[in-house]
Amino acid sequence: MMIPVRCFTCGTVIGNEWEEFKERAREGEEDPEAVLDELGVDRHCCRRMLVSHEDLVDVVSPYQ
Ligand SMILES: [Zn+2]
């Protein structure tokens, strides 16, 4: 599925950081910790939203 727009715990908007995080830390070579620090995602509740997210849209869509 797509990343939630807001952090489940504190409600901070984190959906806008996903594309850059994915490009740099998942597909790129950069350290996820450094990328999150640079994006200004300081709280660990918000950081886990990005670190633990997996895009499943392409996996699920053929079955709908
Ligand atoms: Zn949060």
mmCIF file of all heavy atoms in Angstrom, residues 7 10 43 45-46, ligand 1:
data_model
loop_
_atom_site.group_PDB
_atom_site.id
_atom_site.type_symbol
_atom_site.label_atom_id
_atom_site.label_comp_id
_atom_site.label_asym_id
_atom_site.label_seq_id
_atom_site.Cartn_x
_atom_site.Cartn_y
_atom_site.Cartn_z
ATOM 1 N N CYS A 7 2.089 10.321 10.582
ATOM 2 C CA CYS A 7 2.599 9.339 11.526
ATOM 3 C C CYS A 7 1.434 8.854 12.391
ATOM 4 O O CYS A 7 0.649 9.656 12.883
ATOM 5 C CB CYS A 7 3.667 9.996 12.391
ATOM 6 S SG CYS A 7 4.182 8.992 13.792
ATOM 7 N N CYS A 10 2.068 10.352 16.361
ATOM 8 C CA CYS A 10 2.054 11.773 16.723
ATOM 9 C C CYS A 10 1.316 12.650 15.714
ATOM 10 O O CYS A 10 1.056 13.805 15.999
ATOM 11 C CB CYS A 10 3.476 12.282 16.925
ATOM 12 S SG CYS A 10 4.432 12.429 15.410
ATOM 13 N N ARG A 43 11.650 12.401 15.414
ATOM 14 C CA ARG A 43 11.022 11.496 16.376
ATOM 15 C C ARG A 43 11.111 10.049 15.898
ATOM 16 O O ARG A 43 10.935 9.770 14.710
ATOM 17 C CB ARG A 43 9.552 11.858 16.559
ATOM 18 C CG ARG A 43 9.377 13.205 17.190
ATOM 19 C CD ARG A 43 7.910 13.449 17.475
ATOM 20 N NE ARG A 43 7.745 14.729 18.133
ATOM 21 C CZ ARG A 43 6.725 15.556 17.907
ATOM 22 N NH1 ARG A 43 5.773 15.206 17.076
ATOM 23 N NH2 ARG A 43 6.649 16.701 18.528
ATOM 24 N N CYS A 45 9.030 7.709 16.396
ATOM 25 C CA CYS A 45 7.745 7.194 15.917
ATOM 26 C C CYS A 45 7.566 7.512 14.422
ATOM 27 O O CYS A 45 6.989 6.719 13.681
ATOM 28 C CB CYS A 45 6.585 7.762 16.730
ATOM 29 S SG CYS A 45 6.461 9.554 16.740
ATOM 30 N N CYS A 46 8.075 8.675 14.012
ATOM 31 C CA CYS A 46 7.974 9.066 12.598
ATOM 32 C C CYS A 46 9.007 8.321 11.764
ATOM 33 O O CYS A 46 8.742 7.941 10.627
ATOM 34 C CB CYS A 46 8.192 10.565 12.443
ATOM 35 S SG CYS A 46 7.112 11.587 13.452
HETATM 36 ZN ZN ZN B 1 5.597 10.536 14.847
#
